[in-house]
Amino acid sequence: MRFARPTARFDDVVTFYRDDLGLAVLAQWRDHDGYDGVVFGLPDAGVQLEITQHGSPPAIPPPHPENQLVLYLRGEQALRAAVDRLSARGHRPVAPTNPYWARVGAVLFEDPDGWLVVLTPWVFGEDSSAG
């Protein structure tokens, strides 16, 4: 399964997801029929996030608090490692609009386009206490 979304800040977004968040790059291209793109594994090749940039200037929809990429991490230690990595690279957590995320221990960050990445210390469907 692959989810795709546009960006207006391609290089910054690639750096955020690849270097800051640590996702694997599965494919990347420049100027393929006018598109720049990258595919990240979430966290492997079974589920993918594709980011594309097209146009001059690129036109993207404005971010909305419900545009979220939710990454389910396995435990507090995994969550802390991700939060520490992002914080060390200059990113700061943001308050969720939906109080559910704070209640279940998630931490949110904005990517360079202002889209939200939700990091949880539990895996949906595996931890019954998280719902």
Side-chain angles (χ1 to χ4, degrees), residues 10-128:
F10 185 79
D11 292 330
D12 293 336
V13 167
V14 169
T15 297
F16 177 83
Y17 286 101
R18 181 194 60 209
D19 302 338
D20 301 348
L21 196 53
L23 297 180
V25 172
L26 304 178
Q28 189 169 354
W29 59 92
R30 289 287 192 162
D31 199 25
H32 177 70
D33 294 328
Y35 286 85
D36 297 333
V38 62
V39 177
F40 296 100
L42 296 175
D44 55 37
V47 179
Q48 303 164 2
L49 171 65
E50 179 178 339
I51 304 288
T52 59
Q53 180 172 270
H54 176 73
S56 183
I60 65 168
H64 184 278
E66 296 304 317
N67 291 125
Q68 302 169 350
L69 172 64
V70 181
L71 298 178
Y72 296 102
L73 307 176
R74 296 194 181 277
E76 288 292 333
Q77 185 174 358
L79 174 64
R80 184 58 32 219
V83 169
D84 289 349
R85 178 181 179 135
L86 286 162
S87 296
R89 297 186 61 84
H91 302 283
R92 298 294 170 249
V94 296
T97 300
N98 184 335
Y100 168 79
W101 291 123
R103 194 168 53 246
V104 297
V107 180
L108 285 69
F109 289 87
E110 286 186 349
D111 78 7
D113 285 320
W115 293 53
L116 296 175
V117 176
V118 181
L119 305 174
T120 72
W122 47 270
V123 177
F124 185 81
E126 290 182 13
D127 185 344
S128 61

